[in-house]
Amino acid sequence: MDPCPFQRILVGNLAVKSPASSKPSSFSGKVHPSTSPLFCKIQLKGVDWDDSVSCSNVCSVPVITEWDPQPRSLAASFDFSKPKIVKVSKKAQIKISVYKGAATPSCVFNSAKLIGKISIPVDLTLAESRPCTFHNGWLPLTKTTNQAQFLHLTVRVDPDPRFVFRFDGEPECSPQVFQIKGDVKQPVFTCKFSFRDKNPAHFPSPNNANSSAERKGWSITVHDLSGSPVAAASMATPFVPSPGSQRVSRSNPGAWLIIRPDGDGTWKPWGRLEAWREPNNSNAVGYRFQILPATADPVTLAASTISSQHGGKFTIDATSGVTPLSTPRGSWDLGSGSGSSLDSGLEAIPFFSKGFVMSATVDGEGKCSKPEVEVGVQHVTCTEDAAAFVALAAALDLSMDACKLFSQKLRKELRQ
């Protein structure tokens, strides 16, 4: 089955230039976004979003001189599936409001002064088969001639086809997994949830807690339609409460290994997912996913939190990891201003390229969780590639249960 059409609006390479910053100084070229006094709000207008999707981003903007190199970084991205593309069509607009004020984005609007606004119309129909740049360069933020301030930005739309997979039930219920395109779905995988032996040799578990206070031994194997195992996720570190609490702590997280067949009935590690419960009575579950290349150190590709009450979306996106040194010189070098650790890690992993990698939905407590997984086509070259992402999505969903307070009772499928 063919992938589903998606498009991404990318906004980046932001910088502000004004007469006050036009003279060279000893700090020239060393302005970092985190120390800039300017912030901007990037909004997508003309689109009706559902409650689970953010239509705005807040980020800092560096102030540069004409002698400084232009920053190359991604500030915001907005993703569209085919139904949304048809619905939005030519209505979308990127609106950027630049403020001067607070030192952190979280409180930028409390006492901030609006400097200026810019709107860029975006026509998604022009980017159905190839990237389309709608703006790249400087625009005036203010109308005052003698004190004019200018904003540099790039707005581009990329076609971003993805394979879409949907679980037909909760992972602990050993469901089928379907590939989706529009209203058509076809089975591609089956999942088998099980409990491993307590301490198998190839998945050692640290003996740091009483077994009665552990959630351990969970495993889920992904099979293709012939019944052959093509990926699996297995608890490598049990989920245990920190001393004197009912929570899995960040200092001692539970962990999964995502593994793939390596021939002759053996398996090789592909990724590691850690999860824990955030402190201070938070309902959030924190996570960190690392890819495990055979010839390099582990590389963290995703780290964030998901609300256990409302759910959310797990995303791996390497767009912001592109650095000017590893991309063609040009107007659209979206790069990481803080360095190239992610980028150098990805270079050691032939399986990964830049851009959107994958996402997986997670439902909140009390809902029947049927994860939906999107995977960028450039990251799928065989069945095992897709299955690894499906196994990762299952592990993340199961981690939401494993991170429940230990005063809460798990459903029967998860009790050994």
Side-chain angles (χ1 to χ4, degrees), residues 64-77:
I64 67 172
T65 72
E66 59 185 87
W67 290 270
D68 292 325
Q70 293 175 4
R72 294 180 172 92
S73 61
L74 180 69
S77 65

Side-chain angles (χ1 to χ4, degrees), residues 214-265:
E214 295 180 342
R215 290 166 181 164
K216 64 178 183 178
W218 299 2
S219 180
I220 188 161
T221 304
V222 182
H223 300 83
D224 62 19
L225 295 184
S226 70
S228 300
V230 286
S234 186
M235 274 189 184
T237 304
F239 287 69
V240 299
S242 60
S245 80
Q246 297 292 326
R247 294 171 174 264
V248 179
S249 68
R250 183 169 189 166
S251 61
N252 186 29
W256 298 78
L257 275 182
I258 314 300
I259 56 178
R260 299 176 55 160
D262 197 27
D264 300 324

Side-chain angles (χ1 to χ4, degrees), residues 334-401:
L334 285 180
S336 171
S338 58
S340 59
S341 59
L342 173 60
D343 191 59
S344 60
L346 289 174
E347 290 175 353
I349 313 169
F351 180 76
F352 279 96
S353 61
K354 310 303 184 292
F356 173 84
V357 179
M358 67 91 70
S359 67
T361 60
V362 177
D363 288 319
E365 293 177 352
K367 297 180 181 178
C368 180
S369 184
K370 298 180 179 180
E372 183 167 294
V373 186
E374 298 171 4
V375 185
V377 293
Q378 67 269 33
H379 303 288
V380 178
T381 60
C382 60
T383 300
E384 288 80 3
D385 290 346
F389 289 112
V390 170
L392 172 58
L396 182 72
D397 189 88
L398 290 166
S399 293
M400 304 300 289
D401 292 296

